[in-house]
Amino acid sequence: KAAELGLSNPHFANPHGLDAPGHYTSARDLAKLAAYAMRNADFRKIVSTRTFQLPWPGHPGPRVFENHNKLLKLYPYATGIKTGYTSQAGKCLVASAEKDGRELVSVILNGGESYWDQTVSLMEYGFNDFAHVEYAYAGQLLAEVEVGDFPRKRVNAVGSRDLVFTVRRDRLDAYREAVICWLNWIPYPIAAGQEVGYLSLGEEGAGEQRISLVSDAYRNRPSFPVRVLALIAAAFSRLLSWLKWLVPGW
């Protein structure tokens, strides 16, 4: 499952998380895992609950369990997630917050006594200095492309997936215009969902955002008579252009 989620640095030596030789992970992997877990409604409800009561037979009142994640009280946008501590790892906090429809996850490892403040600073940095960009959506018509030959046909090129990303606000200008590139030649038949090009925008390298463009429908090969007529028409058009070049005033 770790490989499926794209976690590149974890190594588990036990199931309980206490210190052990060869038991480690990274802040990035913890963030990825937390973001995945927050897609589960039950998990979200549990980690955002401040207190929970259970019946306690034989006692005057229920048993009350209090969440040790003080961020739920300290930060108005906090929605979770989990504190952690071992002697070697120190004080750790994987946190989540939601503000204006945006959700963030932060990770502090061995943060010392200020790990609550560090988490709030990270969240505010994320909300204030980064923008959520929804550039295109799966199935959205983005361009038209010519395919086949004799005759050539136009097909609608649509996004293969949502192009949604987060970028620093001071770099937004680099993402305002996109470049669309086509395959050199696309023969018939054209299948629905077949890649016909791609759309790219942003900075080169890790900052580049790209999606494939695909045909929105099936395009069959034209019949033989249609192809012959188209070939003749193309040859005649080429001949006329040559004559106009060879004979001035044609």
Side-chain angles (χ1 to χ4, degrees):
K1 190 65 177 183
E4 179 184 333
L5 296 178
L7 310 185
S8 56
N9 294 301
H11 187 272
F12 300 98
N14 60 57
H16 48 65
L18 298 179
D19 295 329
H23 190 78
Y24 57 83
T25 188
S26 67
R28 179 186 292 272
D29 282 351
L30 286 173
K32 288 182 178 179
L33 183 59
Y36 174 78
M38 288 295 282
R39 299 176 189 174
N40 183 285
D42 290 334
F43 183 87
R44 292 177 67 93
K45 182 178 180 180
I46 291 170
V47 299
S48 63
T49 300
R50 294 187 183 184
T51 60
F52 188 78
Q53 297 183 0
L54 281 178
W56 200 0
H59 293 79
R63 297 188 67 178
V64 179
F65 296 85
E66 185 172 354
N67 196 326
H68 288 179
N69 184 3
K70 296 180 181 179
L71 193 71
L72 295 172
K73 298 179 180 179
L74 295 174
Y75 190 54
Y77 308 109
T79 57
I81 297 175
K82 182 72 175 67
T83 60
Y85 173 82
T86 68
S87 59
Q88 293 184 32
K91 292 186 175 182
C92 305
L93 177 60
V94 178
S96 60
E98 183 174 2
K99 181 181 181 182
D100 298 330
R102 296 174 59 199
E103 294 185 71
L104 299 180
V105 168
S106 69
V107 178
I108 296 292
L109 302 180
N110 196 19
E113 296 301 322
S114 65
Y115 70 140
W116 305 110
D117 294 334
Q118 293 177 55
T119 296
V120 172
S121 296
L122 272 179
M123 291 298 186
E124 286 297 291
Y125 171 61
F127 285 128
N128 295 329
D129 288 47
F130 287 79
H132 177 72
V133 179
E134 298 182 1
Y135 199 90
Y137 301 99
Q140 178 182 348
L141 176 61
L142 297 173
E144 290 185 335
V145 57
E146 289 190 341
V147 299
D149 222 342
F150 305 118
R152 295 179 68 77
K153 288 186 177 181
R154 286 183 172 272
V155 300
N156 292 331
V158 301
S160 59
R161 61 175 177 83
D162 294 344
L163 183 54
V164 178
F165 54 92
T166 298
V167 63
R168 272 177 43 177
R169 293 185 185 277
D170 60 356
R171 295 180 179 172
L172 272 174
D173 286 344
Y175 295 84
R176 297 190 185 280
E177 295 184 359
V179 175
I180 293 178
C181 298
W182 310 117
L183 302 180
N184 289 332
W185 182 64
I186 308 169
Y188 295 119
I190 310 300
Q194 178 178 332
E195 184 175 358
V196 295
Y198 65 88
L199 179 148
S200 174
L201 73 158
E203 304 166 339
E204 294 184 4
E208 181 185 22
Q209 299 292 330
R210 178 185 292 197
I211 58 169
S212 296
L213 300 178
V214 299
S215 171
D216 70 338
Y218 175 75
R219 296 292 188 277
N220 196 10
R221 180 190 301 273
S223 64
F224 181 74
V226 171
R227 290 174 62 81
V228 170
L229 289 174
L231 179 60
I232 293 173
F236 186 70
S237 176
R238 181 63 61 87
L239 177 61
L240 284 179
S241 65
W242 286 345
L243 289 174
K244 289 179 180 180
W245 179 73
L246 291 173
V247 183
W250 176 273

